[in-house]
Amino acid sequence: MRRSLLTLVIAFVAALAGVAIGCRVLMPGEPPASDLHALVHRDIRLDPAQSIALDRLEARFATTRATLEARLRGDNARLAAAIEAEHRDGPRVSQAIDAVHHSMGDLQKATLAHVFAMRRVLRPDQAATFDRLVVAKLTDSDR
């Protein structure tokens, strides 16, 4: 009895640790589009109309991003519950992982759509700088 209880406690702690690590690795920290938005305002000379247009895009995207991030958090919670229930890579865990990946993909696609919408607001000379900023953000470099 004591050994079974100890095994159960260890499995539970391991499951929680796995979820915590997964959230840190899989959940984005600072949304890249917001970082990019700040960089655009800092590094590209925008005219007032462009600045207003980009602010509107960012406000619209903030709602989309919040919705998708909430869905991802829900998927991660379901993954945690599946891990806790199965204690292995069983069918519920596998299904929950697929849901997490799907939500992550939707968030990435929406972020890229937002990035391309931002780019359309810019003049060709500004777009070249923007492209360098995007590449630098995606590659974690200082181009």
Side-chain angles (χ1 to χ4, degrees):
M1 174 67 172
R2 190 175 217 162
R3 184 176 247 171
S4 295
L5 184 59
L6 181 61
T7 301
L8 182 61
V9 169
I10 290 171
F12 180 73
V13 170
L16 288 179
V19 170
I21 291 167
C23 285
R24 288 198 184 269
V25 171
L26 299 177
M27 292 290 289
E30 184 65 26
S34 293
D35 284 350
L36 184 60
H37 186 76
L39 290 174
V40 166
H41 280 277
R42 186 191 76 196
D43 294 353
I44 298 176
R45 288 183 171 260
L46 302 171
D47 64 42
Q50 288 174 314
S51 189
I52 290 169
L54 288 174
D55 287 343
R56 286 184 181 149
L57 284 173
E58 187 66 17
R60 253 183 272 139
F61 180 64
T63 302
T64 301
R65 183 180 60 231
T67 300
L68 291 169
E69 287 176 345
R71 188 176 91 193
L72 183 56
R73 282 190 302 279
D75 289 338
N76 275 325
R78 285 182 284 284
L79 174 59
I83 290 169
E84 186 176 27
E86 292 185 325
H87 303 289
R88 64 185 182 89
D89 189 15
R92 282 183 60 195
V93 169
S94 184
Q95 185 178 32
I97 289 170
D98 289 344
V100 167
H101 288 170
H102 182 76
S103 292
M104 288 172 60
D106 286 348
L107 178 58
Q108 188 170 29
K109 288 175 187 175
T111 301
L112 286 174
H114 172 65
V115 166
F116 292 133
M118 289 173 66
R119 190 180 193 283
R120 286 191 296 274
V121 171
L122 304 175
R123 295 184 317 266
D125 61 304
Q126 295 169 318
T129 301
F130 180 81
D131 293 344
R132 283 191 299 278
L133 291 172
V134 169
V135 169
K137 287 304 293 173
L138 288 173
T139 59
D140 243 357
S141 66
D142 293 326
R143 282 188 170 183

